[in-house]
Amino acid sequence: MQRYFIEEIKDETAIITGDNFHHIVRVMRMKLDDQIYLVTPDERTAIAGISELGEDFVRLTVLSWKSESTELPIDITIASGLPKGDKLELITQKGTELGAKQFLSFPAKRSISKWDSKKAKKKVERLDKIALEAAEQSHRSFVPKFRHLESFQALIQSLPDYDYIVVAYEESAKEGETAALATVFNQMKPGESVLAIFGPEGGFSTEEIDKLEANKALKVGLGPRILRTETAPFYFLAAASYAFELS
């Protein structure tokens, strides 16, 4: 069944308009009594049937509520030093499928890509749309949001918002460090948050690592292989899924 994120369900009834109405009626060509999933902002999911098809709206009636959650028990924010090309689109799409709660980007010292405010606005709108589509496809109960920070210092200032902060550092991997990430996951409790920070293609400078560590970020290795900037977040999210959902 198709899945749609909506603002509210009132008295077991929902009214859908706009883009979702167009998708239901024009794209999917649904009819009366067809069923879909509806997800509310408080992450509740309902199975609803179409009870009325109007000129510019669809009325749906809740048939049942789903009790199970598809969300990771911890909140993971992926922060990426601006990479080249469309890599952030891949990170956002697949990261949403793997359970990330939020995405950040920031200009790192070795970032080749540069965003001015106009470009950033368009990019964020595009990435939010990608996250929505990926959340619908992967049956998420929450749509991650994308936020662009204008400086590395803005990233540093955001660190107190999280319970744990880790930075993926290739030098830790080269040195054979294997325990730091597992230690963080073992310490974390359901409902806590972690910010996972990843550098651009050229990695972090020593100065950036020093500043992150001075603000309580923990360097972690992601195995013995050096991962691309767009691959490392997927490793982290998959490891979190194993630690909290499969083990």
Side-chain angles (χ1 to χ4, degrees), residues 19-128:
D19 291 342
N20 283 341
F21 164 79
H22 175 80
H23 190 265
I24 289 170
V25 176
R26 310 294 182 216
V27 179
M28 300 306 299
R29 299 187 181 277
M30 293 187 187
K31 301 178 176 62
L32 287 175
D33 298 326
D34 283 352
Q35 297 180 12
I36 63 176
Y37 289 118
L38 298 177
V39 185
T40 60
D42 59 357
E43 301 184 24
R44 300 179 69 209
T45 301
I47 298 174
I50 297 176
S51 54
E52 183 180 356
L53 290 167
E55 287 294 324
D56 58 358
F57 73 91
V58 176
R59 186 187 307 275
L60 298 111
T61 301
V62 173
L63 304 175
S64 63
W65 290 91
K66 291 174 64 68
S67 57
E68 68 271 18
S69 174
T70 57
E71 296 301 306
L72 279 166
I74 60 170
D75 292 351
I76 299 175
T77 297
I78 299 296
S80 299
L82 278 178
K84 295 184 292 185
D86 58 0
K87 292 177 182 178
L88 277 177
E89 295 188 5
L90 180 65
I91 291 169
T92 301
Q93 181 187 59
K94 300 308 178 186
T96 296
E97 292 177 21
L98 288 166
K101 198 78 170 184
Q102 188 181 20
F103 298 92
L104 303 177
S105 61
F106 61 92
K109 185 175 182 179
R110 295 174 181 167
S111 290
I112 296 173
S113 180
K114 306 294 181 185
W115 290 6
D116 57 27
S117 58
K118 184 177 180 180
K119 183 175 183 179
K121 184 176 184 295
K122 290 183 178 180
K123 286 282 191 180
V124 169
E125 288 174 355
R126 166 72 176 155
L127 292 164
D128 277 343

Side-chain angles (χ1 to χ4, degrees), residues 186-199:
N186 286 335
Q187 291 174 346
M188 290 190 72
K189 298 178 177 62
E192 290 188 318
S193 61
V194 57
L195 175 67
I197 308 170
F198 302 88

Side-chain angles (χ1 to χ4, degrees), residues 152-181:
F152 184 77
Q153 184 58 32
L155 174 70
I156 295 297
Q157 292 171 350
S158 75
L159 300 187
D161 296 339
Y162 303 91
D163 297 312
Y164 294 86
I165 306 136
V166 299
V167 53
Y169 191 44
E170 63 267 24
E171 295 304 320
S172 295
K174 290 177 183 177
E175 293 165 7
E177 183 278 309
T178 60
L181 183 58

Side-chain angles (χ1 to χ4, degrees), residues 11-22:
D11 298 327
E12 302 296 280
T13 299
I15 304 294
I16 289 183
T17 59
D19 291 342
N20 283 341
F21 164 79
H22 175 80

